[in-house]
Amino acid sequence: MKTLKIPEATVIRLSVYSRYLAQVDRRGITTISSGEIADGTGVSPAQVRKDLAYFGEFGTRGVGYNVKDLYWHIIKILGLNTTWSVVIIGAGNLGTALSMYGGFRERGFKVVGIFDNAPHKIGYRLNGVEVYPMERLKEIIEKEKAQIAIIAVPAEHAQEVADQLAETSIQGILNFAPCVINVPERIELRNVDLSVNLELITFNLALRRSLKGGK
Amino acid sequence: MKTLKIPEATVIRLSVYSRYLAQVDRRGITTISSGEIADGTGVSPAQVRKDLAYFGEFGTRGVGYNVKDLYWHIIKILGLNTTWSVVIIGAGNLGTALSMYGGFRERGFKVVGIFDNAPHKIGYRLNGVEVYPMERLKEIIEKEKAQIAIIAVPAEHAQEVADQLAETSIQGILNFAPCVINVPERIELRNVDLSVNLELITFNLALRRSLKGGK
DNA sequence: TAGATTGTTAATCGATTAACAATC
DNA sequence: TAGATTGTTAATCGATTAACAATC
């Protein structure tokens, strides 16, 4: 595998391609061209081929790509050929929603524990997954071999939770709290700010208005 | 206002700057330089100045920026100087979580209605917001003057919901269903795929592994 | 072979960074 | 005035697109 830096946009598109290929496969289609993938996912054919070229040669010139093969190649590239065990920190509304989110299971993620420090929540099961007290974080992560943690606590407590996670064998953190957190280099961190997505909409709506009104 | 195309990354950073400025303001600081904003948000000072330059001149050479003024300038740029009324389609776990998500309220978003077609959910209140049947979608959107809709239904029903929204006066749609949907040009659309965020983590973890093992 | 489509290189486009004149 | 920091231009960097040789 080349050591070239892969653009994040490429990884996101690979995810989109894989979903589209799964859909095409369900329709019983066995071969597909970069142009067809492009049409189905809203990118350019050159983009599709370039994205794939970072990782190898998966097609046959003059023919195209085998749908199933390419699907599995991408799944492997994305690291989704194995099941990932996930813990969720915070059994509030967001944590509860995420624990039941079908989109995770579909892509091979398995929620193995939810953590909270509200005594009345401990011991409950959400979607079959037990709610544990925060004191058992390290124990359960190690017992269940969880590799990824999702932080779904209020912003005030996010860093505190991150510090506790840093003491465990967790490899990746997805942070939904709207704040910046610091974690050791060895942990792969990603922040999702749900509000920013609405703000990108309001920005564009405000821009449209000012173009109409202002001009 | 210039008609230059603004990079999406710039808009996202403006959102980050505004949160940082709010925090700095709470500490009672009145003036700030691009370098300090850069340090506080993890970008370069040139980036901060360039991002702001798309929209005007907000600083004083040799001095810096007035914290409060700049905060409000950015809030206005993001279209957040007015309250936006939001409806959520789908009273499942995600819809429920989003209806109670503090991060929205903080930035001036107000959830004015939740819609579902499960009879046993109708009439309930989530966080003070009523759950309405889908048949009343258009009526309530128009009555409440909702401008933005959040789709939080399973992927199979997302397009159907989008079609119904297209019949209303809704101006923007935030789609959480992991699928591509089509809406009229006049509607500002944005997709959020929660699973992709986990996949960006697993991709990097898989990459780290292969670099360690493969090399 | 002729037609089709890949993989890859070169050209283009756009975003970030460095540098500095303007100016408080 | 001297020091500081902005706003902006030019240089750099990186990603996308166009084009085409390779080849099925």
Side-chain angles (χ1 to χ4, degrees):
Chain A
M1 193 172 285
K2 291 170 212 160
T3 327
L4 253 149
K5 216 184 129 258
I6 316 292
E8 188 173 288
T10 288
V11 180
I12 294 172
R13 283 191 299 263
L14 286 175
S15 177
V16 174
Y17 303 156
S18 71
R19 279 157 213 265
Y20 181 66
L21 289 169
Q23 189 187 313
V24 167
D25 183 41
R26 262 180 262 119
R27 281 194 255 131
I29 294 161
T30 57
T31 305
I32 196 168
S33 68
S34 60
E36 288 166 311
I37 297 172
D39 284 347
T41 58
V43 303
S44 72
Q47 187 71 270
V48 173
R49 296 199 298 276
K50 182 82 190 186
D51 285 337
L52 296 171
Y54 285 110
F55 304 97
E57 306 188 2
F58 306 120
T60 308
R61 290 171 197 228
V63 178
Y65 303 88
N66 178 285
V67 173
K68 269 194 172 50
D69 282 358
L70 185 57
Y71 172 79
W72 283 107
H73 274 300
I74 297 178
I75 286 296
K76 179 132 191 263
I77 291 166
L78 294 174
L80 298 180
N81 53 331
T82 59
T83 299
W84 294 85
S85 293
V86 176
V87 293
I88 297 174
I89 325 297
N93 292 297
L94 187 59
T96 304
L98 294 173
S99 75
M100 307 192 182
Y101 185 60
F104 289 159
R105 199 179 33 246
E106 242 171 56
R107 301 289 279 179
F109 297 103
K110 193 184 169 203
V111 179
V112 297
I114 305 169
F115 295 83
D116 207 295
N117 49 20
H120 68 278
K121 287 180 180 168
I122 313 300
Y124 265 77
R125 287 186 163 269
L126 295 175
N127 205 25
V129 184
E130 192 164 342
V131 180
Y132 299 101
M134 284 303 287
E135 299 87 58
R136 298 185 65 191
L137 186 68
K138 192 178 163 72
E139 173 208 337
I140 302 292
I141 284 176
E142 254 123 72
K143 195 183 94 189
E144 298 281 356
K145 297 191 172 38
Q147 301 113 325
I148 301 175
I150 298 179
I151 298 182
V153 301
E156 311 88 82
H157 298 116
Q159 183 60 57
E160 191 182 311
V161 167
D163 292 342
Q164 289 179 60
L165 287 168
E167 303 282 305
T168 72
S169 55
I170 218 78
Q171 294 166 35
I173 294 179
L174 185 60
N175 175 37
F176 278 93
C179 62
V180 177
I181 60 172
N182 295 303
V183 299
E185 276 277 309
R186 65 170 185 81
I187 295 180
E188 198 63 48
L189 172 69
R190 202 167 162 78
N191 294 292
V192 183
D193 187 329
L194 296 176
S195 180
V196 169
N197 288 290
L198 278 181
E199 292 171 30
L200 280 156
I201 293 178
T202 59
F203 169 79
N204 282 314
L205 290 178
L207 203 64
R208 285 188 189 189
R209 273 187 204 167
S210 76
L211 288 179
K212 253 189 215 153
K215 247 299 174 57
Chain B
M1 191 172 286
K2 291 169 211 161
T3 328
L4 252 149
K5 215 184 130 256
I6 315 293
E8 187 173 289
T10 288
V11 181
I12 294 172
R13 283 190 300 263
L14 286 175
S15 176
V16 173
Y17 302 156
S18 71
R19 281 157 213 267
Y20 181 65
L21 290 169
Q23 190 187 312
V24 167
D25 183 41
R26 261 181 263 120
R27 282 194 254 131
I29 295 161
T30 57
T31 305
I32 196 167
S33 69
S34 57
E36 288 165 312
I37 297 173
D39 285 346
T41 57
V43 304
S44 71
Q47 186 72 268
V48 173
R49 297 199 298 277
K50 181 81 190 189
D51 286 337
L52 295 173
Y54 285 110
F55 304 97
E57 306 189 1
F58 307 118
T60 308
R61 291 170 196 229
V63 179
Y65 304 87
N66 177 285
V67 173
K68 267 193 173 49
D69 282 358
L70 186 57
Y71 172 79
W72 283 108
H73 274 301
I74 297 179
I75 286 296
K76 179 134 191 259
I77 291 165
L78 294 174
L80 299 179
N81 53 330
T82 59
T83 299
W84 294 85
S85 294
V86 175
V87 292
I88 296 175
I89 325 298
N93 291 295
L94 186 60
T96 304
L98 294 173
S99 75
M100 306 193 182
Y101 186 60
F104 290 159
R105 198 180 35 246
E106 242 170 56
R107 301 288 278 179
F109 297 103
K110 192 185 171 203
V111 179
V112 296
I114 305 170
F115 295 84
D116 207 297
N117 49 21
H120 68 280
K121 289 181 179 167
I122 312 300
Y124 265 77
R125 286 185 165 269
L126 295 174
N127 206 24
V129 184
E130 191 164 343
V131 180
Y132 300 101
M134 284 302 289
E135 299 86 58
R136 299 185 64 191
L137 186 67
K138 191 179 164 73
E139 173 207 337
I140 302 293
I141 285 176
E142 255 123 73
K143 195 182 95 189
E144 298 281 356
K145 295 193 174 35
Q147 301 112 326
I148 301 175
I150 298 179
I151 297 182
V153 300
E156 310 88 82
H157 298 117
Q159 184 59 58
E160 191 183 311
V161 167
D163 292 343
Q164 289 179 61
L165 286 168
E167 304 281 306
T168 72
S169 56
I170 218 79
Q171 293 166 35
I173 294 179
L174 184 60
N175 175 37
F176 277 94
C179 62
V180 177
I181 60 172
N182 295 303
V183 298
E185 277 277 309
R186 65 170 186 83
I187 296 179
E188 199 63 48
L189 172 68
R190 202 166 161 79
N191 293 292
V192 182
D193 187 330
L194 296 175
S195 179
V196 169
N197 289 290
L198 278 181
E199 292 171 30
L200 281 156
I201 293 178
T202 60
F203 169 79
N204 282 314
L205 290 177
L207 203 65
R208 285 189 189 188
R209 272 186 204 168
S210 75
L211 289 179
K212 253 188 214 153
K215 245 301 172 54

